[in-house]
């Protein structure tokens, strides 16, 4: 019997990403954010999630992609970490997909270098690739002033 895994999917630029469903707390629309003075460029701000303060990370910045369009409000994929919930800002939320382990491959060489470092692997789907985000690496931010 083939092993299957479930991923919460989302779109960033023209890339299709997934995070294992068990890591995702929830997905929510754009939220009002409070800027954090002196925070790194990837920290877009803090959101109040029903009384819980959650850091919002700009995933486009982390992956070396073009910034969000000024007229576009990013969606939030809230993931669970050992330090608490963290929001990843993405373009669009997709569906939950089940994939078979046999479709798994290493990340392609054609990905931008910054993105390739944060991708665990890919699943071949009909007509596209599902890039599996390594949330641990995506959330490993440089200390402020390191740039």
């Amino acid at each position: 019997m083939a092993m299957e895994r479930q991923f919460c999917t989302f779109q960033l630029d023209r890339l299709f990403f997934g995070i294992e469903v068990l890591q995702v707390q929830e997905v929510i629309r754009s939220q009002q954010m409070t800027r954090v003075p002196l925070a790194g460029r990837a920290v877009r701000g803090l959101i109040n999630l029903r009384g819980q303060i959650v850091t919002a990370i700009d995933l486009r910045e982390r992956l070396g992609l073009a910034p969000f369009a000024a007229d576009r409000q990013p969606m939030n994929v809230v993931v669970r970490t050992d330090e608490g919930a963290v929001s990843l800002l993405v373009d669009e939320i997709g569906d939950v997909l089940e994939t078979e382990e046999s479709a798994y491959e290493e990340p392609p060489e054609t990905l931008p270098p910054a993105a390739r470092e944060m991708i665990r692997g890919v699943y071949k789907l009909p007509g596209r690739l599902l890039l599996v985000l390594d949330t641990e690496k995506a959330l490993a931010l440089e200390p402020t002033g390191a740039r």
Side-chain angles (χ1 to χ4, degrees), residues 8-10 19-29 31 47-52 54 75-81 85-90 93-94 96:
C8 171
T9 64
F10 57 92
I19 297 175
E20 286 198 61
V21 165
L22 296 176
Q23 292 181 288
V24 177
Q25 177 176 313
E26 62 187 290
V27 294
I28 53 176
R29 293 182 200 189
Q31 300 289 307
I47 60 174
N48 185 339
L49 186 61
R50 295 178 299 279
Q52 180 183 15
V54 174
M75 301 287 288
N76 295 274
V77 177
V78 181
V79 297
R80 297 180 191 97
T81 71
V86 177
S87 171
L88 300 173
L89 301 177
V90 304
I93 304 295
V96 172

Side-chain angles (χ1 to χ4, degrees), residues 18-19 23 117-120 132-139:
I19 297 175
Q23 292 181 288
E117 290 178 17
M118 294 179 223
I119 303 300
R120 283 190 179 158
V132 179
L133 184 69
D134 185 330
T135 55
E136 201 169 293
K137 288 182 181 173
L139 296 174

